[in-house]
Amino acid sequence: MYTINEVAGICDLSAHTLRFYDKEGLLPNISRSKSGNRQFSETDLEFVKMICCLKNTGMPIKEIKHYVNLYREGEETFDTRKEMMKAHRKEVIRQIDDLKKSLNIIDLKITKSLI
């Protein structure tokens, strides 16, 4: 089991952010110790990493929450969740392509006189 501070350190988040995610319903299965502190299992840690991945690649919290709610509903939502990930993947690829174009312009400016 991991403490909130350990998970925060591993995922490069603040404990405040993890508490926010929990209050928003993004962390559906976090258990509590007898003293009320959040306890994260290995599965919970992987779930937090997935949330960070989605957020870092531009998925809005509202959409992540929708994904988590579908996850909570069980296997019958698998196809819907898969389609969400496919759509998000397309968006990430678009972002990568845009960044590559911008990087090419930057590289050109480095090799030529800067404007």
Side-chain angles (χ1 to χ4, degrees):
M1 295 300 255
Y2 298 92
T3 67
I4 195 167
N5 288 324
E6 289 170 331
V7 173
I10 292 167
C11 297
D12 196 28
L13 297 170
S14 68
H16 175 78
T17 298
L18 287 168
R19 287 185 199 95
F20 172 77
Y21 288 172
D22 191 18
K23 288 176 186 171
E24 288 296 310
L26 298 177
L27 304 173
N29 300 315
I30 303 300
S31 63
R32 301 275 183 149
S33 68
K34 290 179 183 177
S35 60
N37 295 320
R38 291 169 181 85
Q39 296 179 311
F40 294 78
S41 67
E42 196 67 40
T43 301
D44 298 330
L45 177 60
E46 292 307 312
F47 208 82
V48 171
K49 288 178 181 179
M50 189 264 314
I51 290 169
C52 290
C53 171
L54 295 176
K55 185 162 183 324
N56 291 341
T57 54
M59 185 179 279
I61 292 290
K62 183 178 179 180
E63 195 170 335
I64 296 171
K65 188 172 182 175
H66 178 63
Y67 180 88
V68 170
N69 288 337
L70 289 170
Y71 171 80
R72 292 170 99 176
E73 290 177 24
E75 283 301 309
E76 63 271 9
T77 67
F78 177 80
D79 290 337
T80 304
R81 288 181 281 138
K82 186 174 182 178
E83 289 305 312
M84 284 182 75
M85 288 298 110
K86 285 181 178 181
H88 186 62
R89 184 180 190 282
K90 282 183 183 180
E91 176 57 22
V92 170
I93 289 171
R94 186 200 60 74
Q95 291 173 26
I96 290 169
D97 289 343
D98 288 349
L99 285 170
K100 284 180 180 178
K101 289 174 188 173
S102 295
L103 181 59
N104 286 337
I105 292 169
I106 292 168
D107 287 343
L108 183 62
K109 292 303 171 192
I110 289 170
T111 58
K112 304 220 177 201
S113 63
L114 296 174
I115 292 178

